[in-house]
Amino acid sequence: MMMVHPRDQVGGDTHKNLVAPNVAASKKARNCACMVSYSVLILALLTLFILLLPLVLPPLPPPPLLLLFVPVFLLVVLFFLAFSPSTLPNMAVLTS
């Protein structure tokens, strides 16, 4: 008799996991490999666009000065939010 971990009993798929564990593992590996290949393809296309578009597009004028300060303002707001005290009460969190 094969021992089944309680985690695997949730959801009622114990029979499927016991009968064909290799099929499920190969499906996961295929899905993972497919996702990795799509991610690499997207990153390669993005790199190609970043390299080729400046050669094709005409040069653009510089943006207005105020627009250049938008990332600085966002950084200041994020620092303020990160270091401001929380208004939530202190509660003990129990972990198992």
Side-chain angles (χ1 to χ4, degrees):
M1 183 170 159
M2 184 177 216
M3 296 292 293
V4 178
H5 195 274
R7 173 194 55 180
D8 295 333
Q9 292 177 352
V10 177
D13 344 68
T14 56
H15 180 69
K16 181 172 61 173
N17 288 340
L18 290 176
V19 172
N22 292 336
V23 174
S26 67
K27 268 188 169 181
K28 271 187 183 180
R30 233 180 323 162
N31 287 341
C32 186
C34 187
M35 189 182 332
V36 167
S37 63
Y38 282 142
S39 299
V40 168
L41 179 67
I42 289 173
L43 288 175
L45 287 175
L46 185 65
T47 304
L48 188 68
F49 285 143
I50 288 173
L51 289 175
L52 294 180
L53 278 179
L55 300 175
V56 177
L57 293 175
L60 297 173
L65 187 62
L66 190 61
L67 194 61
L68 291 175
F69 285 113
V70 168
V72 176
F73 292 140
L74 284 174
L75 183 71
V76 168
V77 168
L78 289 174
F79 267 113
F80 177 74
L81 287 173
F83 293 113
S84 63
S86 175
T87 58
L88 297 175
N90 289 334
M91 298 176 137
V93 177
L94 299 175
T95 59
S96 57

